[in-house]
Amino acid sequence: MDLLHTFEEDAFRDEARAWLAEHVPARPLPSLETREGFAAHRAWEARLHADRWSVVSWPREYGGRGVDIFKWLVFEEEYFAAGAPGRVSQNGINLLAPTLFDHATAEQRARVLPPMASGEVIWAQAWSEPESGSDLASLRSRAVRTDGGWLLSGQKTWSSRAAFADRAFGIFRTDPKAPKPHQGLTYLMFDLRADGVTIRPIGRLDGKPAFAEIFLDEVFVPDEDVVGEPGQGWRIAMSTTGNERGLTLRSPGRFLAAAQRLVQLWRTSGDPADTALRDRVADAVVGARAYQLFTYANASRFAAGSVIGAEASLNKVFWSDYDIALHETALDLLGADGELAQGEWAEGHVFSLAGPIYAGTNEIQRDIIAERLLGLPKGRR
């Protein structure tokens, strides 16, 4: 891996930095977990898209710039360093889109990707079910064959963005007689405003309502919205989860920027005599830098033609635990009122607490690391 940036990468960084300096809102947008904030962030996605900054690594025909993964990492570093808004479209562009590039038809990519890039269509991930979270293969929501498509029935839960999003993607049981739970599943996209869909928001710890349950009562989905072959949904879903835990969901730029803000907080609020807290600030900076280097190493392997397999679980465990430690350090710096204050650190702390749970619990990820990377015996389930 060559850690020196090329002239083209430096020029791309300068261009991105200049655009962000001119266009990032002077005041933070309302939380995207509220209706008002969701609309404001959708408008921000459209502004990014107008100058081809919303999906820089996508081919130009879908609204991107066609840059490689290293320039994508450069853009992410500049994006978060500029304090730009969170991405309301991340379920689509970071999870569904890579899956479509790998498994969808040309017609599906041409139909689905451009409105995703512009923010016209925002996607929710309809993954977990009431008794199928980490053990996703035990899901019970079904899709039954009908003329020209499928009828979806069942319940999905903990669906981020679902309260305000336009469409969703998930896997459904299409062959209940399949010999194993992860067989006989099909990957489908569906309209959250279709007949038979009921959305019920789930109140979060911070009171914001964007999480939701999705109830499906014979919701019609045309054949054109099946991704891959019917019955092959598990294999395709693993492609989605690999991206979720691996390179795209939590780029190092996010943590590099947060660690720098933590340093600034230490300089304004830290007690020089509190060396233990000072060391935690230093650990946060070291951790962000280590994650950056590990990500660049994975990117180099990816660019050379390798795939990111079980190593994605290393990423997921690291960034989810790191995010909590970073925010707890910030709250300790802020003192007794830290958790009560309304601001980025308190809100970020609440969000970080979910990290070890979503995208596959850390307990499951540690099993994967132990069994697939270290070759240790399987534990009791």
Side-chain angles (χ1 to χ4, degrees), residues 250-270:
R250 292 288 176 264
S251 70
R254 170 191 170 119
F255 297 121
L256 289 168
Q260 287 306 308
R261 290 198 299 274
L262 185 64
V263 171
Q264 291 301 320
L265 183 63
W266 164 259
R267 288 173 175 162
T268 57
S269 306

Side-chain angles (χ1 to χ4, degrees), residues 347-370:
E347 292 182 7
H349 178 246
V350 171
F351 185 76
S352 73
L353 296 176
I357 301 172
Y358 67 79
T361 66
N362 281 10
E363 288 81 2
I364 295 295
Q365 303 315 307
R366 288 189 170 93
D367 279 347
I368 293 172
I369 293 167

Side-chain angles (χ1 to χ4, degrees), residues 49 58 61-63 92 96-97 100-101 103-123 148-150 166-169 187-191 220-228:
H49 177 259
W58 289 14
E61 64 188 292
Y62 304 128
L96 178 59
L100 296 179
F101 281 120
H103 301 284
T105 65
E107 184 279 328
Q108 287 174 322
R109 289 193 288 270
R111 173 166 51 88
V112 174
L113 293 176
M116 182 191 296
S118 69
E120 179 184 349
V121 174
I122 303 295
W123 290 79
W150 303 80
D166 307 293
R167 291 175 63 79
F169 56 94
Y187 198 115
L188 292 134
M189 303 178 286
F190 59 97
D191 191 339
F220 177 75
V221 175
D223 283 327
E224 65 182 14
D225 280 342
V226 175
V227 180

Side-chain angles (χ1 to χ4, degrees), residues 84-109:
R87 302 296 301 274
V88 72
S89 60
Q90 73 169 25
N91 283 332
I93 62 177
N94 290 339
L95 304 180
L96 178 59
T99 305
L100 296 179
F101 281 120
D102 287 342
H103 301 284
T105 65
E107 184 279 328
Q108 287 174 322
R109 289 193 288 270

Side-chain angles (χ1 to χ4, degrees), residues 8-9 46 49 72 74 77 97 103 108 113 122 135 145 178 181 202 214 228 230 239 275 279 294 324 326 338 349 359:
E8 289 78 12
E9 288 164 353
H49 177 259
W72 172 77
V74 165
E77 291 172 9
H103 301 284
Q108 287 174 322
L113 293 176
I122 303 295
D135 183 16
R145 202 77 176 91
I202 301 172
I214 304 172
S239 174
T275 55
D279 289 349
F294 183 71
I324 292 175
L326 183 147
H349 178 246

Side-chain angles (χ1 to χ4, degrees), residues 288-362:
R289 179 66 170 154
Y291 182 58
Q292 180 194 31
L293 296 176
F294 183 71
T295 304
Y296 270 89
N298 274 338
S300 295
R301 291 174 46 219
F302 185 77
S306 297
V307 297
I308 308 300
E311 294 88 346
S313 296
L314 293 172
N315 257 25
K316 200 277 174 175
V317 170
F318 181 85
W319 61 246
S320 55
D321 286 346
Y322 172 84
D323 206 17
I324 292 175
L326 183 147
H327 282 88
E328 287 181 344
T329 302
L331 293 185
D332 287 343
L333 271 169
L334 290 169
D337 294 334
E339 293 185 51
L340 301 178
Q342 295 296 315
E344 62 168 333
W345 292 116
E347 292 182 7
H349 178 246
V350 171
F351 185 76
S352 73
L353 296 176
I357 301 172
Y358 67 79
T361 66
N362 281 10

Side-chain angles (χ1 to χ4, degrees), residues 37-216:
F38 199 91
H41 282 76
R42 190 196 290 267
W44 169 246
E45 294 291 335
R47 186 66 195 90
L48 284 168
H49 177 259
D51 289 330
R52 293 184 178 271
W53 291 109
S54 67
V55 285
V56 295
S57 63
W58 289 14
R60 297 188 70 83
E61 64 188 292
Y62 304 128
R65 290 173 173 245
V67 304
D68 62 23
I69 192 169
F70 299 104
K71 286 182 179 173
W72 172 77
L73 287 166
V74 165
F75 175 73
E76 289 282 297
E77 291 172 9
E78 292 301 317
Y79 188 88
F80 285 101
R87 302 296 301 274
V88 72
S89 60
Q90 73 169 25
N91 283 332
I93 62 177
N94 290 339
L95 304 180
L96 178 59
T99 305
L100 296 179
F101 281 120
D102 287 342
H103 301 284
T105 65
E107 184 279 328
Q108 287 174 322
R109 289 193 288 270
R111 173 166 51 88
V112 174
L113 293 176
M116 182 191 296
S118 69
E120 179 184 349
V121 174
I122 303 295
W123 290 79
Q125 185 183 25
W127 224 239
S128 297
E129 298 188 3
E131 296 179 6
S132 299
S134 296
D135 183 16
L136 183 61
S138 66
L139 66 87
R140 293 184 294 183
S141 291
R142 65 187 185 277
V144 177
R145 202 77 176 91
T146 189
D147 290 343
W150 303 80
L151 294 175
L152 310 186
S153 295
Q155 179 186 355
K156 300 289 183 176
T157 192
W158 306 118
S159 296
S160 55
R161 315 276 190 274
F164 311 124
D166 307 293
R167 291 175 63 79
F169 56 94
I171 51 177
F172 293 82
R173 193 163 299 285
T174 50
D175 182 4
K177 297 181 180 178
K180 295 183 179 179
H182 61 275
Q183 296 177 346
L185 301 171
T186 298
Y187 198 115
L188 292 134
M189 303 178 286
F190 59 97
D191 191 339
L192 287 172
R193 295 163 188 162
D195 291 341
V197 176
T198 300
I199 306 294
R200 189 165 70 186
I202 301 172
R204 300 195 329 180
L205 182 63
D206 59 7
K208 297 185 175 67
F211 261 150
E213 295 173 289
I214 304 172
F215 297 89
L216 304 158

